[in-house]
Amino acid sequence: MNRDAVFYSSLIMAFSAGFVDTSTFTIADGLFSAHITGNFVVFAYKLSNHPQLHDFINLASFPVFIMAVILTRKMDSLYKKEKGIFASIGIFLIVAGCIAFLLKQNHIATGFVYHSMLMLIVFSMGIQNTVTRLYANSAFGPTTVMTGNVTKAILDFFNYISTQHTLEKLVELRKSLVLLTGFLIGCIFGALISARFGLVSMLIPGILISAYYTVSTRKESLSLQ
């Protein structure tokens, strides 16, 4: 990807991860879909506060996430279509949003279909976690979990202001800030919109991701002709 493409990809994917993770946490009783290890914390908390059967959905997210990682790696080794894999994240989110809409229309707030829809969202975030590892140059850094990006931003900032007043350090700081800003804005919008529309809001990041990578693929194809 060229520099502009990496910038937009980083911003869109960080925004989407923040949006999705906050939405499922807000609506689905504390389910982290992107920050998957957070579900162990939530489960442990629920375990100490009169756990019920549906609380175990947090643990079910872990094997689903693992499956997403394995299948994404397999698809990459077979087809080597980077942007196609990125676009699939959006497609899964669109499907989840459509299912959420149908469930909402029928006033269904639990059950097999509802939980399957949640796992579909987790699956999409498993793909996103994997592709940023497989294609390190597709984004400025991890787009789903911000702890490492915060650490890197702080180190780059202090390196820049202390001894290394270099353009390279300034660029690295900018990259981290793009990811952090995108994720934070995604979290805010995810909380506000999902509180009003529920998980139908998955259509927003889903359409955003699918549209961006579809247009990007077409532009790339035209440039090669």
Side-chain angles (χ1 to χ4, degrees), residues 70-129:
I70 294 171
L71 291 178
T72 302
R73 180 67 184 88
K74 185 66 174 177
M75 292 298 291
D76 171 66
S77 63
L78 289 174
Y79 301 107
K80 296 293 182 183
K81 291 187 179 293
E82 175 185 348
K83 291 181 179 177
I85 296 176
F86 271 105
S88 71
I89 300 168
I91 293 171
F92 282 121
L93 290 175
I94 290 172
V95 172
C98 290
I99 294 172
F101 176 77
L102 294 174
L103 292 175
K104 191 171 185 178
Q105 291 296 105
N106 291 280
H107 307 288
I108 299 173
T110 187
F112 177 77
V113 176
Y114 174 78
H115 291 303
S116 296
M117 179 263 295
L118 293 180
M119 292 304 104
L120 189 61
I121 297 171
V122 171
F123 191 87
S124 71
M125 290 296 99
I127 297 174
Q128 184 166 332
N129 271 277

Side-chain angles (χ1 to χ4, degrees), residues 58-73:
N58 292 65
L59 291 186
S61 65
F62 192 64
V64 170
F65 189 88
I66 292 174
M67 188 185 303
V69 174
I70 294 171
L71 291 178
T72 302
R73 180 67 184 88

Side-chain angles (χ1 to χ4, degrees), residues 14-65:
F15 170 86
S16 298
F19 190 107
V20 173
D21 210 26
T22 305
S23 296
T24 54
F25 183 83
T26 302
I27 301 301
D29 196 25
L31 174 67
F32 286 106
S33 51
H35 179 208
I36 202 71
T37 52
N39 290 323
F40 291 116
V41 177
V42 174
F43 174 72
Y45 168 76
K46 291 180 177 180
L47 199 62
S48 64
N49 289 272
H50 309 291
Q52 300 179 23
L53 184 61
H54 65 80
D55 292 333
F56 286 84
I57 190 67
N58 292 65
L59 291 186
S61 65
F62 192 64
V64 170
F65 189 88

